[in-house]
Amino acid sequence: MCDLKFEAERMDPFLIKAIQLLLSLSLLIVLHEFGHFIPAKLFKTRVEKFYLFFDVKFALFKKKIGGTEYGLGWLPLGGYVKISGMIDESMDKEQMALPPKPWEFRSKPAWQRLIIMLGGVTVNLVLGFLIYMMVLFVWGSSFVGPDDMPQGFAVADEFKAFGFEDGDRILSVNGEEFENSVDVNRYLFMRDVNNITVIHQSGEEETISIPEDIGSQMFQEGVMQPFVPIQNAVLDTVVADLAASKAGLKKGDSLISVNKQEIGYWHELAPITAENKEKEVEVVFKRDGKIMSLMVTPDEDGLLGVSSKRDFNVQTRKYGLGESIEAGFSYGYWTLHDYVAQFKYVFTAKGATQVGGFGAIGGLFPDAWDWQGFWLATALISIILAFMNILPIPALDGGHVMFLLYEIITGKAPNEKFMEYAQMLGFFILIALVLFANGNDLYRWLFE
């Protein structure tokens, strides 16, 4: 593990993210398919193929063991198990035209077929929860309490209208103590927040009511980070070969002004550079007690390639084995809750443009190799896969589950021809969604 981390530190961040994404998806896909494979075998159902990635026309590797062909495809868009006598993406019409055999999926009782189809989703969901439990047990959880950030938050103007002030520290949300202050933006966006109790810099405590539709307001107005920790404008990291580094800025430089606008705190920098994308601006700063200035050109994203020195304390909470199980379950539950909650924003004109594909998923992983970050991203993706796969879309597990529940309730299976057409429709819907999501990634990469 140490050698892998050492080698990874010398790699390009894009390559590091790509390797983590491939490793994570490979693990999750294989375990998901085992979720179908194991109950199929338990119910004596023949599994013809077990593949990581798709073997369109040919496979990179394949070997037949005990009646099942195991292989590695060349198209990294998922994986599959081909179960005998099942209408799936293989669209094996010849097999379905023959009389049912005892070992085929279609010959098994509906309840057994339901368990087989739910196996993959169940594995992904349980795996996500187990990873969170493991991460909390090994690394613990980080949090920032109100006493850990004496300068408090810089507050967006839209939230100052509610009564918040720059320098506020958060004490409680909905009347309950709020342990991790930096989680407040996610809570406002994803959860039902009715009120927030803060302590102003004056020392006065105040409970401020929050509008019921605050998440929608944040989304429509583009105020996704209304609370940003106040930090001094001192450079901590200057990324090599990016704008600031090329201009000559160094770690430890204390910013004074940018484009003739005074910089008192770190959060005041981003709006100025965002307004001056690819335009040369003057940066005035203090270095070793001397006032100096340089001309810097923010990149196409309005970034300089710098980060600030952290001015607040991050604490770590450690968990015993039993505590990590309870806390990990809670973490997994709220992760699933928040992911489902954000779908109300996806089904809007603006939300549709935010949908991402493999590029967005890869962005979940850290730039440098970090096992804690890798496992946290893997757990999140596992839970996302569980939710997405259970959606009632033909060609997904949820589509099969939907038709099986119909059969169990009515006592009558859907017509095979109808199932074939539904499978084809679902497949085309999935392809369209994949193209749309990855098209959004490409557009953002090219034009934003």
Side-chain angles (χ1 to χ4, degrees), residues 225-398:
Q225 298 287 326
F227 294 92
V228 178
I230 293 178
Q231 302 183 84
N232 293 320
V234 179
L235 303 187
D236 184 57
T237 301
V238 180
V239 182
D241 298 325
L242 295 185
S245 176
K246 289 179 179 180
L249 288 169
K250 297 180 180 180
K251 178 178 179 177
D253 289 347
S254 180
L255 302 183
I256 296 173
S257 70
V258 175
N259 202 33
K260 301 188 184 304
Q261 298 181 58
E262 185 179 346
I263 300 291
Y265 296 100
W266 183 255
H267 64 273
E268 296 170 338
L269 174 63
I272 300 173
T273 57
E275 291 176 356
N276 292 277
K277 298 177 182 178
E278 300 183 305
K279 298 178 183 177
E280 193 175 59
V281 296
E282 182 185 25
V283 177
V284 179
F285 58 96
K286 180 183 288 188
R287 178 187 295 170
D288 299 328
K290 298 179 181 179
I291 305 297
M292 307 173 69
S293 71
L294 289 168
M295 302 306 293
V296 185
T297 304
D299 65 16
E300 65 275 9
D301 296 317
L303 302 176
L304 300 181
V306 293
S307 64
S308 67
K309 183 178 180 181
R310 192 174 67 201
D311 291 327
F312 54 86
N313 182 45
V314 178
Q315 298 190 59
T316 300
R317 181 179 300 282
K318 293 294 186 179
Y319 297 88
L321 181 60
E323 293 173 320
S324 66
I325 292 173
E326 181 181 356
F329 182 85
S330 176
Y331 199 125
Y333 168 81
W334 284 110
T335 298
L336 177 61
H337 172 280
D338 290 349
Y339 183 74
V340 175
Q342 57 90 34
F343 262 76
K344 65 183 177 183
Y345 306 112
V346 171
F347 296 109
T348 64
K350 181 179 179 180
T353 64
Q354 308 302 309
V355 174
F358 290 111
I361 297 173
L364 296 173
F365 294 94
D367 293 331
W369 196 277
D370 171 36
W371 282 109
Q372 182 182 8
F374 170 80
W375 286 117
L376 284 172
T378 298
L380 174 59
I381 296 170
S382 190
I383 287 176
I384 290 173
L385 286 175
F387 175 74
M388 296 300 293
N389 261 291
I390 204 61
L391 292 176
I393 299 174
L396 289 178
D397 294 347

